[in-house]
Amino acid sequence: MPSAIVVGGGLSGLSAAHTMIQGGVKVTLFERNAFLGGNSTKATSGMNGGGTRTQKAMGVDDSPDIFLEDMLRSATGQKTGPRPASYPLAEVFANNAGKGVEWVQDEFGLALDTVSYMGGHTKQRTHRTLAGGKFPGMEITSALMKKYEKLADADDGTCDLFINSILTGLIQDEAGCVVGINYTDADGNAAEMRSDCVILACGGYGAGGAVAGSLLEIHRPDLMHLPTTNGDHSQGDGIK
């Protein structure tokens, strides 16, 4: 069975982990906190996607191409005139976001049955569950967390979970390919693990304002004095 390491237990890391499990990969997920979720649980708006079943059911005429144009205009500030030049990451996001919404609905049983406008949108495309009860970020991330934890608890070789484990480096072979990670385990011991694939989903470094020598201090010292909604885990380990 092929193996993969995912570093980061927010929505991005959990999505990567579940996708690989569905493809028959043995996954080990590393999270530096004592719990999964990261900053994703704090998201209060919803999940964006163009051309989804929910939009069609609500009579919203949207598509990945319209979503892409909205992204390009938002990114450049060109609200009128010819469509701004595209770029690869925007195309990947716009073309797959709707499929991502439906993957969450189908695989994790979430309704996401209403949509609304958010900044930069010409169509209603921010999906959330009409019944409410939780912030959309918490609802979506929690569903992926609970399923992953259940699979890890089964201890049947499908996946493993390492919490309170901090990435300290990447292991490379002679050709320069990444074949594992160095990390500090929950007891503070240095350790390593090797795998066929390593995915970094560690988030950003917005909580660096309280950390001397942080990436925030190096790159945006003008922001060091500002408060942040980032958890204190967001210190840029993966980027470093």
Side-chain angles (χ1 to χ4, degrees):
M1 176 184 289
S3 62
I5 291 170
V6 177
V7 185
L11 185 55
S12 179
L14 286 164
S15 297
H18 280 294
T19 300
M20 288 188 292
I21 290 170
Q22 291 169 1
V25 178
K26 164 68 183 297
V27 176
T28 303
L29 179 63
F30 285 82
E31 168 57 47
R32 71 172 293 157
N33 277 340
F35 48 86
L36 298 175
N39 291 325
S40 303
T41 58
K42 303 176 183 179
T44 59
S45 299
M47 188 171 180
N48 297 328
T52 66
R53 295 190 301 254
T54 297
Q55 287 177 304
K56 292 172 184 175
M58 295 184 65
V60 177
D61 183 19
D62 196 12
S63 69
D65 192 59
I66 297 172
F67 190 5
L68 176 61
E69 181 164 351
D70 285 352
M71 290 184 69
L72 299 176
R73 292 193 180 281
S74 180
T76 60
Q78 298 179 33
K79 298 180 180 179
T80 60
R83 183 161 100 169
S86 187
Y87 54 97
L89 185 58
E91 293 174 5
V92 169
F93 190 91
N95 289 329
N96 289 280
K99 299 173 187 175
V101 170
E102 294 179 353
W103 178 72
V104 169
Q105 291 171 318
D106 294 341
E107 297 295 333
F108 303 95
L110 300 185
L112 302 182
D113 53 354
T114 192
V115 288
S116 59
Y117 289 104
M118 289 292 157
H121 293 171
T122 59
K123 303 288 184 178
Q124 294 167 286
R125 66 168 68 97
T126 304
H127 295 68
R128 67 179 75 192
T129 295
L130 184 61
K134 293 180 180 178
F135 289 152
M138 174 60 80
E139 178 192 18
I140 296 167
T141 308
S142 178
L144 273 68
M145 286 164 48
K146 289 178 180 178
K147 187 167 183 176
Y148 190 89
E149 289 170 345
K150 183 177 180 179
L151 290 170
D153 287 342
D155 197 25
D156 60 359
T158 299
C159 61
D160 289 318
L161 174 60
F162 285 59
I163 58 172
N164 293 314
S165 299
I166 301 174
L167 174 73
T168 58
L170 301 176
I171 301 171
Q172 295 174 278
D173 64 14
E174 293 180 357
C177 294
V178 176
V179 294
I181 66 168
N182 300 112
Y183 67 98
T184 302
D185 68 17
D187 296 319
N189 300 314
E192 69 172 47
M193 181 177 291
R194 295 175 181 261
S195 70
D196 299 314
C197 167
V198 175
I199 293 180
L200 298 182
C202 310
Y205 53 93
V211 183
S214 67
L215 291 177
L216 191 67
E217 185 177 57
I218 294 169
H219 296 289
R220 292 299 303 271
D222 56 307
L223 303 181
M224 287 287 285
H225 69 288
L226 295 175
T228 178
T229 58
N230 282 256
D232 58 10
H233 58 277
S234 297
Q235 297 178 17
D237 297 343
I239 297 170
K240 289 178 183 178

